[in-house]
Amino acid sequence: ALKAWRRLAQGLRRRLLHPSRRRLAKGGAIVAVVGGDGAGKTTATEGLGRWLGKELEVLRLHMGKPPWSWGTVLVRAALKVGTTLRLYPYVPAASVLYRAAGEPPPGFPGYPVLLREVCAGRDRYLAYARARRFANRGGIVICDRFPLPQISLMDGPLVELLAGDRKSSPLARILSRLERRYYRAIAPPDVLVVLRLPPDAAVERRSEEDPVPVRARSTEIWELDLAGPRVHAVDASRSPGEVLSAVKAAIWRAL
């Protein structure tokens, strides 16, 4: 009776408190979901996590907003103090990325801003390294956004753009090389899902936001020309349920 009770209690404890998860014997995979604003990246990654997480070891990462390292925290704190004391002007990255044709470039934001972008690149590399280790052990990593050389308006190097007319200065060149080195160390994902949404539809879905950056980011994804056995394009203009079903089918075929 005692043996039977212990077996029953251990089984219930494993399934309710510590449910078992499986790993792929041949090795896991890094799955990246990219798309413009309103394409449903978060909905898709959350749905994938719930679906695959029932049986497999799953790690979800937001590569657009990776966890801050201590260096990033210190740099951002110093940057906040500097802008509050007006030691250098506040120049948002959006004013550089989405500047209209013929519009004069903004002023130099200061080297701490460039260092902040280097820290962002380093944080993305550290998140990627964590994802790669997890996948190598047989787990599945689901990434919301991912740094790709073909995408320049999201999650890419910004030091050279922000430096403007000072990009040829010695310090700016050093920071730019360091930032690009971090991004070059990030290999492409094992499976890439591209959620394609027409720019007009993206602006309509995000009507409460500034339409200029929304349209620019969506246009870049809409015109993205990627091909290969590991790239899967999904029509994101359909309902969220239909999009998630298409993403699941693409992932299942790849795995």
Side-chain angles (χ1 to χ4, degrees), residues 13-202:
R13 191 181 304 115
R14 259 197 319 269
R15 285 164 176 76
L16 298 179
L17 300 181
H18 304 286
S20 61
R21 296 290 187 272
R22 297 176 176 85
R23 294 173 181 251
L24 299 180
K26 66 177 182 179
I30 297 179
V31 178
V33 180
V34 300
D37 297 21
K41 299 184 296 296
T42 301
T43 302
T45 54
E46 288 178 351
L48 285 175
R50 290 192 299 268
W51 175 54
L52 295 174
K54 294 178 181 179
E55 297 293 340
L56 300 174
E57 289 281 357
V58 172
L59 172 65
R60 284 187 58 213
L61 289 176
H62 198 304
M63 294 297 287
K65 301 175 182 178
W68 290 356
S69 61
W70 281 108
T72 301
V73 172
L74 294 176
V75 168
R76 285 184 173 270
L79 183 61
K80 184 66 175 180
V81 172
T83 53
T84 301
L85 299 177
R86 298 184 178 180
L87 300 179
Y88 35 81
Y90 172 69
V91 179
S95 63
V96 178
L97 290 174
Y98 313 114
R99 181 164 51 93
E103 183 180 347
F108 179 65
Y111 289 106
V113 175
L114 305 187
L115 184 58
R116 179 196 64 190
E117 297 304 324
V118 175
C119 291
R122 180 175 180 270
D123 290 341
R124 289 190 176 109
Y125 166 73
L126 293 176
Y128 164 76
R130 178 190 174 193
R132 188 74 271 168
R133 290 193 298 268
F134 189 87
N136 289 341
R137 294 195 299 267
I140 304 296
V141 184
I142 303 173
C143 298
D144 187 336
R145 294 162 48 174
F146 200 87
L148 296 171
Q150 298 87 350
I151 301 177
S152 60
L153 298 181
M154 288 187 292
D155 315 326
L158 291 178
V159 168
E160 189 171 339
L161 285 174
L162 291 174
D165 55 0
R166 298 197 190 183
K167 63 182 179 181
S168 59
S169 66
L171 183 54
R173 289 203 304 268
I174 291 174
L175 294 176
S176 179
R177 285 198 300 268
L178 182 59
E179 181 193 38
R180 291 184 179 278
R181 188 175 72 179
Y182 284 127
Y183 283 100
R184 283 196 300 268
I186 300 176
D190 301 306
V191 183
L192 176 62
V193 177
V194 182
L195 301 180
R196 302 183 74 250
L197 181 68
D200 291 338

